Amino acid sequence: MYRFLLTPRWWGINLFVVLAIPFCVFMGTWQLGRFEDRVQSHEQATKQPDPSTRAAEPLDELLPVDKVTSGRPAIATGTYADQFLVPGRELDDRQGFYVLNLLRTDSGKALPVVRGWLPGTAGSVPVPAAPEGEVTVTGDLQASENVNSNGVNSRGGLPEGQLGMISAATLVNLVDYDVYDAWVTLPETEAGGTGGAMKPVPAAAPQGSGLDLKAFQNLGYTGEWFVFAGFVLFMWFRLVRREAETARDVALGLVAEDAGAESADAESAGADAGASERLDSSEAPEVPKPTETVPAAEPSETANRP
């Protein structure tokens, strides 16, 4: 009954099923692993002490920035140079912008320092001047932003002096000196009141360390891939069952083999014959019917008498 599974058509179906199910299981397992990694990172982050409460360390000792060093206080000494405004940044449910200055260090590289946040539109609000001379800053270390970071403007087209993304890759195109692949945010207003009305920008948690929406998307994708695997298997069993039932009906004589094809041929032949008959009848010339003649009546004998 199941000999049809060895036909060329079913070899193709079986090969697809054999390849599709392991692929779906692999992708589902991979998405589940991504979700478990995010959960583990979240648990590790909650067990560790607040990075900002640790003792400050020199900047070079905390680089490169990772999930462990992100948020740690870093110390750097240098002189403030170029200043940029970072628009479209929200703080306390209010729209505003960051004030960022590049700190030229003794190593020749510059460290981006977010001195604070101001409400309003960048370029239309007065910005307090940066301290002059050599300064030592202690700020919470942050990794360079990317297109997935909150508040980033990757569309470009900003006015001169404004920056859409705090990253070394963006800043090296705007200045003629090297920039650290990191930045710091000052946890307090600058000494001497030069910060004015600027508010400190709190350090953000490193990406991928929390149970955010992306973590639950990985969990949803896990379920989808396993559902796909089950659907492929279900459809294969359904096709096999239908094919087996058809073969059984043919074997029992309930359904004639190729009956559908013969019936279609018969219907086609009948249709052709009917069309031919109609064509013949329409093309045949009409034969006029002969008119019946009434014989003339013979003259009556009484009428001929004198």
Side-chain angles (χ1 to χ4, degrees), residues 192-283:
T194 56
M198 290 192 301
K199 292 185 178 182
V201 177
Q207 291 185 351
S209 62
L211 293 179
D212 53 4
L213 179 60
K214 291 184 178 179
F216 291 101
Q217 284 180 345
N218 292 131
L219 186 61
Y221 294 151
T222 300
E224 288 181 0
W225 281 112
F226 284 115
V227 168
F228 290 159
F231 178 76
V232 171
L233 191 61
F234 167 76
M235 289 302 299
W236 183 82
F237 275 112
R238 183 175 180 180
L239 291 175
V240 170
R241 181 179 178 182
R242 187 173 63 179
E243 193 84 6
E245 289 177 351
T246 303
R248 182 190 59 188
D249 293 342
V250 170
L252 295 176
L254 300 177
V255 177
E257 189 174 2
D258 298 334
E262 293 177 357
S263 139
D265 293 341
E267 291 179 359
S268 177
D272 293 341
S276 177
E277 291 178 359
R278 289 192 299 270
L279 179 60
D280 294 341
S281 61
S282 61
E283 293 180 354

Side-chain angles (χ1 to χ4, degrees), residues 5 86 211 281 287:
L5 293 174
V86 187
L211 293 179
S281 61
V287 179

